[in-house]
Amino acid sequence: MANNNVQQQLQNMVKFIQKEAKEKASEIEVKTEEEFTIEKARLLQTQKQKISADFARKEQQVQVDKKIAHSHEITRSRLAILRAREKGVNKVLEKASLELEQLSKGAGYKDLLVKLILQALQKLGDENEVLVQCREEDREIAAEAVELAKQAREKAGAPVKLILDVRNYLAPSREKAGPKTLTTCSGGVVLSARGRIFCDNTLDVRLKYAYESLVPEIRKSLFSQ
């Protein structure tokens, strides 16, 4: 009888332990499932955020690339416009240069040389002896202009010894130089004193000064519309 009681108690203990084990296992399973669900949701959220951030970064980069490309395109367009305008302005200068050479063929060229010489003398200041350079093709007319300039200075009470340089001539005109010569001169004179003080009063230099001062107006006239 005692053995039966012991046996019964053991069975009850086993059943209790098994019940507790099942309940514990069930709790662990439920908790594990909950933790898995939470972790899964966290991982999904993290991945979504990562994907969203990556997408936003790529979209931002696309916008930046578009802005850079647009800026480059604007710069290229502006440069093309500036080159076209500069080409137009240079055409005006080239046309003026060609017309300028015609002055040396006109009847008033000698008087122009006299004025250029007198103006250059004023710029040189008080010099007793001045050397005058001209183009070789202008030698005869320049000699006459030098004499007239001397007379004008004497009348003005400021005589000066003017010497026409017949050794070192200025570059020739385009017509005389030919198409292969790069350096030409449209006319005018260069004056020097003591071999080191120079005043370039050629027509090319005068055109250059006029061109530089009138460039804004030329551009406005050409491209105002």
Side-chain angles (χ1 to χ4, degrees):
M1 191 69 175
N3 288 335
N4 290 335
N5 289 334
V6 171
Q7 189 66 30
Q8 184 65 38
Q9 288 178 358
L10 288 174
Q11 288 179 358
N12 290 337
M13 289 179 65
V14 170
K15 289 179 181 180
F16 177 77
I17 292 171
Q18 287 178 341
K19 181 183 178 182
E20 289 290 326
K22 286 180 180 179
E23 290 178 355
K24 198 65 176 176
S26 179
E27 289 178 5
I28 292 173
E29 185 177 355
V30 170
K31 187 176 181 181
T32 301
E33 184 66 27
E34 290 177 353
E35 290 178 351
F36 172 76
T37 301
I38 294 171
E39 182 64 16
K40 180 181 177 181
R42 187 187 68 79
L43 290 174
L44 285 173
Q45 184 64 23
T46 301
Q47 194 63 25
K48 285 181 181 179
Q49 291 176 350
K50 183 178 179 181
I51 292 172
S52 297
D54 189 51
F55 178 79
R57 181 183 59 78
K58 289 182 178 179
E59 186 178 24
Q60 185 179 14
Q61 186 61 46
V62 168
Q63 295 301 321
V64 170
D65 292 342
K66 284 183 178 180
K67 288 181 180 179
I68 292 173
H70 182 62
S71 178
H72 287 171
E73 186 62 32
I74 291 176
T75 300
R76 282 193 292 268
S77 297
R78 286 176 178 173
L79 289 175
I81 292 171
L82 288 174
R83 283 193 291 267
R85 289 184 174 183
E86 195 65 26
K87 187 176 181 180
V89 172
N90 287 336
K91 282 184 178 180
V92 173
L93 178 62
E94 179 65 19
K95 183 179 179 182
S97 180
L98 291 173
E99 293 178 356
L100 191 66
E101 288 195 358
Q102 300 304 313
L103 288 176
S104 63
K105 299 176 182 179
Y109 184 51
K110 181 168 65 175
D111 291 337
L112 177 60
L113 285 178
V114 173
K115 292 176 182 179
L116 291 173
I117 292 170
L118 292 174
Q119 185 183 56
L121 285 172
Q122 280 188 321
K123 291 182 178 180
L124 287 176
D126 297 328
E127 296 292 340
N128 297 322
E129 184 175 304
V130 176
L131 194 65
V132 181
Q133 284 181 279
C134 66
R135 301 183 303 183
E136 187 173 10
E137 60 205 88
D138 293 340
R139 179 174 175 175
E140 292 183 6
I141 195 170
E144 296 176 11
V146 165
E147 288 303 317
L148 290 173
K150 281 182 182 179
Q151 295 173 15
R153 289 284 295 214
E154 288 174 358
K155 288 181 180 179
V160 61
K161 183 178 181 181
L162 291 175
I163 303 172
L164 184 64
D165 190 344
V166 293
R167 293 183 179 179
N168 304 299
Y169 292 105
L170 302 179
S173 63
R174 298 187 191 189
E175 183 179 346
K176 295 289 184 180
K180 294 184 178 180
T181 303
L182 298 178
T183 304
T184 60
C185 178
S186 300
V189 291
V190 173
L191 273 63
S192 60
R194 292 174 283 168
R196 56 187 179 84
I197 302 175
F198 291 85
C199 179
D200 190 336
N201 220 15
T202 57
L203 298 182
D204 304 276
V205 168
R206 298 302 298 270
L207 175 62
K208 178 184 175 183
Y209 291 153
Y211 166 75
E212 289 174 351
S213 63
L214 292 174
V215 161
E217 292 184 22
I218 294 173
R219 285 177 175 161
K220 184 178 180 181
S221 176
L222 290 175
F223 312 113
S224 58
Q225 296 181 349

